[in-house]
Amino acid sequence: MSILRLALVLLVLAGVYLWLRKLSRDLEQSRPTPPEKTSATEAMIQCRQCGVHVPQSEVVFAEGYTFCSTAHRDQYLQRPSTS
C-alpha cells in the first residue's frame, strides 16, 4: 500500500510541475517584446530663442537660425531691431 501512495504522490507532483512549467511558458510568450534598440542617433540642435535642444528633424529654420517651434521663430523674427 505504501508503494501505491508514493507513486500517487510522485504522479501528482509531476503533474503540478508540468502544469507550472506550461503556465510559465505561456506567460513568457504573452509578454510584449521590447522595441529593438537602434544604433542610429539624431543630432540635437539648440533653439535660438529659448536654448532648448530638439532633434534635428523637428527644427524650424529662419534667417540662418534654428528654433524649437514656429512660435519661437515668430517671436524671434518680431523682436525689435538692435541696429
Side-chain angles (χ1 to χ4, degrees):
M1 185 80 177
S2 65
I3 292 176
L4 190 57
R5 280 187 188 172
L6 180 61
L8 183 60
V9 168
L10 289 176
L11 186 62
V12 169
L13 288 176
V16 169
Y17 170 76
L18 292 173
W19 177 73
L20 288 174
R21 190 171 154 196
K22 181 185 181 320
L23 182 64
S24 173
R25 286 183 182 168
D26 290 346
L27 287 175
E28 191 174 305
Q29 289 176 356
S30 67
R31 288 184 191 155
T33 56
E36 291 183 25
K37 293 183 179 179
T38 58
S39 61
T41 58
E42 189 172 357
M44 299 295 284
I45 309 296
Q46 189 173 18
C47 175
R48 176 73 177 186
Q49 183 70 14
C50 68
V52 168
H53 287 79
V54 293
Q56 188 172 11
S57 62
E58 298 177 21
V59 168
V60 178
F61 294 96
E63 294 185 358
Y65 297 114
T66 56
F67 302 92
C68 64
S69 65
T70 55
H72 278 187
R73 177 199 60 198
D74 296 343
Q75 286 176 4
Y76 184 81
L77 294 176
Q78 292 174 0
R79 75 193 187 293
S81 179
T82 57
S83 50

